[in-house]
Amino acid sequence: MEDIIRSKWNDILEHVKSEYALTDVCYKTWISPLELYSVNEEDETAVISVNDYLLGESSKEHINKKYNLFIQVSIEEITGFHINITYKNKSELENNDNNLKVSKLKTRAKNNLAFNLNEKYTFDTFVVGSNNSFAHAASLAVADSPLESEYNPLFIYGGPGLGKTHLIHSIAHHIIENYPDLQVLYVTSEQYINEIVDAMRNSKQDRTTLNNIKKKYREVDVLMIDDVQFIIGKDITQEEFFHTFNALYEQGKQIILTSDKHPNQMEKLEERYKSRFNWGLPVDIKSPEYETRLAILKKKEEKESIKLGDKILEYIAENIKTNIRDLEGAYNKLILRSKLQHCDISLDTAKEDIKELILTDDKIKITNDYIINIVIEHYNLTLEQINSKNRSQKIAHVRHICMYLCRKITNSSYDEIGERLGKRDRTTVMHGYNKIEEDLLTDISLQNEIDILMKIINHQ
């Protein structure tokens, strides 16, 4: 039943439009974005996903009230199946899917501590080119034999947005899948710093917290820290990491680190760290060449219902040369425009939309779009989520950080920033900026977040 309904879904939606004489506006706004999520054949029910990112949180009630009978009848007329329909918001279903994935991971690997991984970052989705083939091969070798690898530590380095995080997440997923008894701990440098600072601050009253943190990091089988360069120079955190590194290395545990530079090029890094980081294998990732950039875009397009077409993909690949983050940022911007405006994107439109991302020299041009892309990647969100009306605590927090950093770094007007963030008005942007600025006075964790993001944006 489900396969038949899914294969006929477009026909069903078109039938709703033609049979009930819906206008183009009504169809594109309410019916076209609907997606079949699941079908339960036993009780003959279906769940249909409503894109609340585009239509707002009350959209499912509106569709259920006004269009449910039309959709139900159209399904029966096209497929012959009479089913009852439940409408659920896309954000709600995505949260359920994420919770289910986490639950499955916990069941498969009860001791695993790496639950803040991006499910999309796997070896299967990593595009290999001449710029990253050695790093990919080394990462796969470590993932295949995590406690027997001669590459310890594995130190992956390269500029921002080139795929270091994708690789380290891929290693974690591979180990969790194939070695469920191993304890895998993945953290960003930001998370590590915050945990150590909080434990140190509380240690005067209770040393249990600090001892638990030390135990957490020194009793794992695989420790992965992303952007380790941000730990360097922070005396207390750096010293604690030094002892953790030594403890794990002496036990033969696997250590995997990423950084923006080779250990020998890190100016503030003490010799004792440089020597340890060089014990294993430092491997670099360079900027992708044209063929790899195009392959990355085509791989992304495979998963999208909207197709930009070869000419636009070739134009993006030819002109966005800096890194994968900018490449995908340009692609995502065009996809979002197509979804919001329910239209195809022409080559001329694409050129106009991404012209600010195209560089005329080797220096990175820091624009509002560039800042927003870095922030949403850092927090594992999408441009669509940030531009939506979703007001969940996490998305609102990240949206406010985008507003703050755009204003702070580019000095753009509140109106300009609001235009880049779902066409929000200037008072909304002003509120977001002021909230972050006020919270920075007392929130140490937020201070660390902003410090790290500023360094990523400015390539420090």
Side-chain angles (χ1 to χ4, degrees):
M1 179 189 293
E2 180 170 354
D3 290 342
I4 294 174
I5 296 175
R6 198 172 292 281
S7 67
K8 299 286 187 181
W9 188 247
N10 289 334
D11 295 337
I12 292 167
L13 298 185
E14 287 291 341
H15 186 273
V16 173
K17 178 184 179 183
S18 59
E19 191 68 18
Y20 300 100
L22 300 188
T23 65
D24 287 342
V25 173
C26 285
Y27 176 73
K28 288 182 178 180
T29 302
W30 301 108
I31 304 302
S32 179
L34 297 179
E35 297 177 2
L36 181 66
Y37 181 76
S38 64
V39 175
N40 187 325
E41 298 188 13
E42 292 184 5
D43 58 9
E44 297 182 331
T45 61
V47 175
I48 291 179
S49 169
V50 179
N51 195 338
D52 54 317
Y53 294 136
L54 300 179
L55 305 175
E57 295 181 7
S58 62
S59 51
K60 66 179 181 181
E61 285 81 9
H62 176 79
I63 292 171
N64 186 40
K65 182 178 179 180
K66 190 166 184 178
Y67 299 107
N68 179 65
L69 182 60
F70 298 166
I71 296 170
Q72 198 172 19
V73 172
S74 295
I75 290 175
E76 187 167 359
E77 290 188 4
I78 297 295
T79 67
F81 298 119
H82 177 77
I83 60 173
N84 295 313
I85 301 171
T86 299
Y87 299 93
K88 290 191 176 182
N89 287 334
K90 191 172 186 178
S91 58
E92 177 186 358
L93 293 170
E94 287 177 352
N95 288 335
N96 290 341
D97 287 344
N98 288 335
N99 291 336
L100 181 60
K101 288 174 183 175
V102 169
S103 176
K104 287 180 178 178
L105 281 175
K106 287 181 177 178
T107 302
R108 188 172 67 234
K110 294 179 181 178
N111 294 325
N112 173 40
L113 302 172
F115 293 127
N116 52 341
L117 299 171
N118 189 325
E119 290 294 326
K120 297 178 182 178
Y121 288 170
T122 66
F123 284 119
D124 288 339
T125 59
F126 188 83
V127 177
V128 182
S130 60
N131 63 306
N132 59 25
S133 58
F134 186 32
H136 173 266
S139 298
L140 194 54
V142 169
D144 281 336
S145 306
L147 298 185
E148 302 171 10
S149 167
E150 57 186 303
Y151 310 137
N152 196 22
L154 176 63
F155 191 96
I156 306 171
Y157 67 95
L162 295 179
K164 301 186 299 294
T165 297
H166 192 146
L167 268 185
I168 197 172
H169 282 221
S170 299
I171 297 171
H173 284 305
H174 191 90
I175 295 174
I176 291 167
E177 182 72 33
N178 294 283
Y179 299 91
D181 294 330
L182 296 185
Q183 286 190 332
V184 179
L185 174 56
Y186 165 85
V187 292
T188 64
S189 57
E190 175 189 332
Q191 292 169 309
Y192 183 78
I193 292 168
N194 287 339
E195 285 193 42
I196 299 300
V197 169
D198 288 344
M200 291 288 186
R201 187 171 52 191
N202 297 327
S203 64
K204 293 179 181 179
Q205 290 78 32
D206 181 10
R207 290 195 60 83
T208 304
T209 304
L210 181 57
N211 291 333
N212 286 340
I213 289 295
K214 290 181 178 181
K215 183 177 179 181
K216 171 184 174 180
Y217 282 94
R218 297 181 191 181
E219 294 187 359
V220 298
D221 297 297
V222 182
L223 175 63
M224 315 171 114
I225 298 185
D226 212 352
D227 287 322
V228 73
Q229 74 270 15
F230 295 127
I231 296 175
I232 307 307
K234 292 180 169 58
D235 294 340
I236 296 176
T237 311
Q238 181 176 275
E239 190 66 24
E240 179 58 31
F241 174 67
F242 178 77
H243 295 303
T244 295
F245 184 101
N246 285 342
L248 290 172
Y249 189 86
E250 289 169 4
Q251 297 174 63
K253 305 301 185 181
Q254 181 68 52
I255 303 166
I256 304 166
L257 309 170
T258 72
S259 174
D260 62 341
K261 295 183 180 74
H262 188 284
N264 295 340
Q265 296 176 324
M266 300 170 76
E267 296 176 0
K268 296 181 180 179
L269 187 62
E270 298 175 20
E271 285 300 323
R272 57 177 177 161
Y273 290 104
K274 288 183 181 179
S275 63
R276 281 163 174 77
F277 290 167
N278 280 307
W279 279 347
L281 178 66
V283 292
D284 70 328
I285 301 180
K286 299 182 177 67
S287 296
E289 70 286 354
Y290 170 78
E291 289 77 12
T292 303
R293 297 197 298 269
L294 185 58
I296 290 168
L297 293 173
K298 289 191 173 183
K299 199 170 190 72
K300 281 185 70 67
E301 190 178 50
E302 287 175 4
K303 299 180 180 180
E304 288 282 355
S305 57
I306 297 172
K307 307 299 180 185
L308 295 180
D310 289 345
K311 287 186 178 180
I312 293 178
L313 296 186
E314 289 165 4
Y315 179 80
I316 299 173
E318 182 69 36
N319 290 279
I320 307 293
K321 304 176 183 178
T322 47
N323 56 48
I324 298 169
R325 179 186 292 137
D326 289 347
L327 192 73
E328 294 185 338
Y331 176 88
N332 291 338
K333 185 176 182 180
L334 297 178
I335 289 293
L336 184 59
R337 172 190 274 275
S338 180
K339 288 180 178 178
L340 289 172
Q341 298 185 346
H342 305 289
C343 64
D344 294 332
I345 301 297
S346 68
L347 182 57
D348 288 339
T349 301
K351 288 179 179 180
E352 180 65 25
D353 268 9
I354 67 172
K355 64 181 181 182
E356 288 188 354
L357 297 173
I358 297 174
L359 306 183
T360 55
D361 51 43
D362 293 334
K363 187 177 180 181
I364 299 295
K365 185 177 181 181
I366 299 178
T367 64
N368 290 327
D369 287 338
Y370 178 77
I371 293 168
I372 291 167
N373 283 331
I374 284 179
V375 174
I376 63 177
E377 180 186 10
H378 185 76
Y379 291 102
N380 193 24
L381 294 175
T382 65
L383 188 61
E384 191 173 19
Q385 288 173 304
I386 291 298
N387 285 348
S388 73
K389 296 180 181 179
N390 190 314
R391 296 182 182 179
S392 69
Q393 186 175 354
K394 178 181 179 181
I395 291 178
H397 175 67
V398 175
R399 192 182 288 132
H400 290 159
I401 287 178
C402 288
M403 294 170 179
Y404 175 81
L405 290 174
C406 286
R407 176 72 172 173
K408 201 78 175 175
I409 295 172
T410 69
N411 199 31
S412 298
S413 69
Y414 294 119
D415 290 323
E416 288 175 313
I417 297 169
E419 181 69 22
R420 296 300 186 196
L421 290 166
K423 300 188 181 299
R424 285 173 163 78
D425 60 51
R426 68 188 318 273
T427 56
T428 301
V429 179
M430 190 183 301
H431 167 74
Y433 175 86
N434 290 337
K435 181 171 183 5
I436 296 297
E437 191 168 55
E438 183 179 335
D439 290 347
L440 280 171
L441 298 174
T442 56
D443 191 333
I444 296 176
S445 295
L446 180 60
Q447 291 169 12
N448 284 328
E449 288 179 52
I450 297 298
D451 179 52
I452 288 172
L453 284 166
M454 291 284 279
K455 288 178 178 178
I456 295 173
I457 290 166
N458 293 307
H459 311 291
Q460 294 178 358

